[in-house]
Amino acid sequence: MTNGEINRLGKRIVKSNGGLSSDDLVTLQDFRTTFSKPLTDTFSKVVEIKNKVRQSSIVAFRLKRISTIANKMVRNPDMNLSRMGDIAGIRMIFDNDKDVYDALELIQNEFEQSGKINDYIKKPKKIGYQSIHIYVKDKVFGKRIEIQIRTTTHHNWSTLVEISDLLCDTRLKELGYDSNPDFAEFHALMSSDKELTDEEADLVYNILDKYNFITDLSKLFRKNITEVRKQWASLRKNSKYFLIEASKDQTPSLKAFVSYNDAEKAYFETYKKNQQTEIVLTAISKPSFQQICIAYANYILSYHTFIRDVEPIIKNLVIRALEEKNIKKFKRIFETYEDLQANLILDVFFEVAELAGADLKGGKLILHSKRAITKSKLKLIQKHLDSQLSKRSELHKEFIEEIELYIPNGFFRRKRCKSFLREHHKRIEKIIKDQNVFIEAGVN
């Protein structure tokens, strides 16, 4: 394909507002796949660089999704499609910033650079995004490849934006901060280590409340990881290419391939059948279920670190409402705290899911053993559960004792607060029960 043909395709995409005829869909797929060999060759070199920095780190690659290419052309109608620089992308995920910058230096030594480096770690985007983007040319075809280098913390935040878009029908990742300023500011605040002002904390709470964010996020992750774990167990272990199809209302479907060409063909056929779902094809150098979870973290983490990060914000808001003697506000925010506690308790059980297994039966999520567990193994699992639940209980107890110090004077105010707090265990139990989680185990 000539650049002229590619650019004319781009103009047709803009003119049809992102719509694609059958012929244009095939043409765009042909254009995408011209990056396949350059991408796989570059990926192999990047894996070698990753191993020099830290072998346990994750490297994955992808070709930009067809729908994302079309949407980007519509947003940038004057851009030539042949000049779109991020059709092919590689992502490296490390534990810390030092490893990120060590990898960057090695990449600069290995490849010809194309364009400037965007360091969003030193200068994060307005929405809170942090990562390094460097563009390189592959050594044979001269194709431009984008390499993103980030830490696991940065990656977890980025996946929160992606899952938010899926849950709440927003397009923050694609359209940026101005597409939904309040929701974008919420994510920016959650990416920051700074102490929040009262107004910022209020904004965080209002978003959590408006979107029922904590429960919906937790339920989606727990449902998804249970099903995908079962799918992973049945996949060929020598596969390196993985296709995941996900939507807000359906459990993700995970497929694995030994051949990249087979994986790309499956992607295209899946896209043609259902253009409304999220379809992501990626490659992982040394696949494991843990690495699959991180690579597809916006779909199948067992829980998101956000759930725990938001806890101190909610606690401070509860205390502030009592200081303001606003009992109605206190009760409303404390119910969000109860929602958080219920999900954190459930997360404790899911921490042992890798040991004990998990399944869905009749719409109910059941943690159980895939095979009978020895008494000694069951004892270790129980000990871990008891320890984690005890820690959670102690933190909760300390918070309730702190609340007691801030309950306002006055007979009726104190009575309303005390009466409300006496029922909090029942409310937490109901939240857990409503999520249909049960525990069972076979014992040898």
Side-chain angles (χ1 to χ4, degrees):
M1 296 177 66
T2 66
N3 285 342
E5 291 173 322
I6 296 165
N7 293 333
R8 285 192 289 275
L9 169 63
K11 297 303 179 187
R12 291 196 297 274
I13 292 172
V14 173
K15 188 175 181 179
S16 63
N17 197 34
L20 288 163
S21 67
S22 297
D23 288 344
D24 281 347
L25 181 58
V26 171
T27 304
L28 182 55
Q29 173 66 357
D30 289 343
F31 171 55
R32 285 178 73 252
T33 53
T34 62
F35 287 84
S36 297
K37 185 65 166 63
L39 182 57
T40 53
D41 290 348
T42 304
F43 177 71
S44 297
K45 289 290 183 183
V46 171
V47 169
E48 292 176 10
I49 289 172
K50 180 267 295 185
N51 290 337
K52 290 178 183 177
V53 177
R54 195 172 301 276
Q55 287 193 351
S56 60
S57 300
I58 295 173
V59 181
F61 75 69
R62 62 96 182 109
L63 287 179
K64 200 173 192 70
R65 294 196 294 267
I66 289 172
S67 59
T68 311
I69 294 173
N71 289 338
K72 187 169 183 177
M73 282 304 307
V74 171
R75 295 196 313 274
N76 302 278
D78 295 329
M79 178 179 63
N80 286 327
L81 178 55
S82 64
R83 299 284 296 169
M84 191 177 289
D86 57 349
I87 300 286
I90 296 173
R91 180 173 293 158
M92 308 178 77
I93 305 171
F94 294 97
D95 287 338
N96 56 67
D97 284 349
K98 181 182 182 304
D99 287 353
V100 166
Y101 285 100
D102 286 348
L104 174 63
E105 183 178 351
L106 291 173
I107 288 168
Q108 288 176 291
N109 293 337
E110 177 69 30
F111 293 100
E112 179 185 349
Q113 193 171 319
S114 176
K116 68 175 185 177
I117 296 172
N118 293 314
D119 190 338
Y120 299 117
I121 294 177
K122 290 180 179 176
K123 191 176 180 181
K125 288 188 177 182
K126 188 177 180 181
I127 197 173
Y129 177 82
Q130 297 183 66
S131 183
I132 290 176
H133 293 193
I134 180 172
Y135 298 90
V136 303
K137 289 184 178 180
D138 87 280
K139 296 184 175 182
V140 178
F141 301 93
K143 289 280 191 180
R144 198 177 190 216
I145 311 289
E146 180 189 57
I147 303 176
Q148 297 179 3
I149 322 169
R150 59 176 63 158
T151 66
T152 304
T153 300
H154 302 151
H155 184 61
N156 279 339
W157 176 88
S158 183
T159 61
L160 182 65
V161 174
E162 293 178 22
I163 196 65
S164 296
D165 281 344
L166 192 66
L167 276 174
C168 306
D169 296 321
T170 54
R171 293 171 65 188
L172 284 176
K173 182 183 177 183
E174 190 177 342
L175 301 181
Y177 189 98
D178 293 334
S179 65
N180 192 325
D182 283 348
F183 207 25
E185 184 63 18
F186 163 79
H187 287 85
L189 293 172
M190 294 313 303
S191 75
S192 172
D193 294 329
K194 71 169 187 169
E195 186 175 344
L196 303 187
T197 65
D198 289 350
E199 291 77 13
E200 289 169 340
D202 285 337
L203 184 146
V204 168
Y205 170 74
N206 289 334
I207 291 294
L208 295 178
D209 184 56
K210 177 180 178 180
Y211 291 99
N212 196 29
F213 200 80
I214 293 169
T215 290
D216 286 355
L217 182 73
S218 299
K219 285 173 72 173
L220 183 69
F221 276 135
R222 283 195 284 270
K223 179 194 74 171
N224 286 355
I225 197 170
T226 301
E227 283 300 313
V228 176
R229 191 194 308 275
K230 287 160 57 179
Q231 295 174 36
W232 169 257
S234 65
L235 298 179
R236 293 175 63 178
K237 299 309 176 191
N238 61 337
S239 301
K240 288 191 176 181
Y241 305 99
F242 300 90
L243 182 72
I244 195 163
E245 181 182 2
S247 68
K248 181 178 179 180
D249 303 316
Q250 294 180 341
T251 302
S253 169
L254 180 68
K255 298 175 183 175
F257 304 87
V258 176
S259 157
Y260 178 75
N261 287 336
D262 289 344
E264 186 57 49
K265 286 176 185 176
Y267 167 86
F268 188 51
E269 290 304 314
T270 304
Y271 180 82
K272 285 194 295 183
K273 288 177 185 175
N274 191 349
Q275 299 182 21
Q276 303 308 311
T277 59
E278 292 281 326
I279 308 164
V280 182
L281 172 61
T282 193
I284 301 175
S285 55
K286 291 187 177 180
S288 66
F289 186 69
Q290 181 186 21
Q291 294 216 336
I292 287 288
C293 286
I294 295 172
Y296 292 115
N298 46 322
Y299 306 111
I300 52 174
L301 283 179
S302 55
Y303 67 91
H304 200 286
T305 53
F306 159 81
I307 299 296
R308 293 182 183 179
D309 293 343
V310 80
E311 184 176 15
I313 298 173
I314 298 301
K315 285 182 173 179
N316 286 337
L317 285 168
V318 168
I319 297 298
R320 200 178 90 204
L322 288 174
E323 288 179 322
E324 294 170 353
K325 299 181 173 57
N326 190 332
I327 307 306
K328 184 178 180 180
K329 183 178 179 182
F330 156 71
K331 291 166 73 173
R332 191 175 74 249
I333 298 173
F334 191 82
E335 285 175 348
T336 300
Y337 166 79
E338 290 171 337
D339 189 17
L340 185 71
Q341 291 312 298
N343 283 289
L344 286 170
I345 290 168
L346 287 172
D347 287 342
V348 171
F349 287 107
F350 273 77
E351 284 177 2
V352 301
E354 197 71 41
L355 298 173
D359 204 355
L360 278 170
K361 292 182 180 177
K364 297 176 180 178
L365 183 59
I366 303 176
L367 299 184
H368 68 102
S369 59
K370 294 175 183 174
R371 57 186 180 278
I373 305 175
T374 62
K375 288 183 179 179
S376 59
K377 184 72 169 283
L378 187 60
K379 229 178 235 188
L380 287 174
I381 292 172
Q382 189 64 54
K383 184 178 179 181
H384 176 75
L385 279 172
D386 290 345
S387 171
Q388 294 301 309
L389 290 173
S390 177
K391 288 178 184 176
R392 177 58 33 202
S393 177
E394 188 60 33
L395 288 171
H396 174 69
K397 181 182 175 183
E398 290 174 2
F399 182 51
I400 296 298
E401 289 174 352
E402 184 180 7
I403 284 176
E404 297 278 353
L405 300 175
Y406 288 91
I407 292 177
N409 293 323
F411 177 77
F412 290 109
R413 281 198 183 114
R414 292 192 69 83
K415 185 178 180 180
R416 285 171 64 196
C417 289
K418 293 282 189 178
S419 175
F420 176 74
L421 289 172
R422 275 196 296 270
E423 299 295 317
H424 76 271
H425 286 300
K426 289 182 181 178
R427 289 190 295 271
I428 290 175
E429 287 173 3
K430 184 179 184 303
I431 295 169
I432 293 173
K433 185 179 179 181
D434 287 347
Q435 294 205 36
N436 286 332
V437 177
F438 298 84
I439 313 297
E440 66 176 30
V443 183
N444 278 334

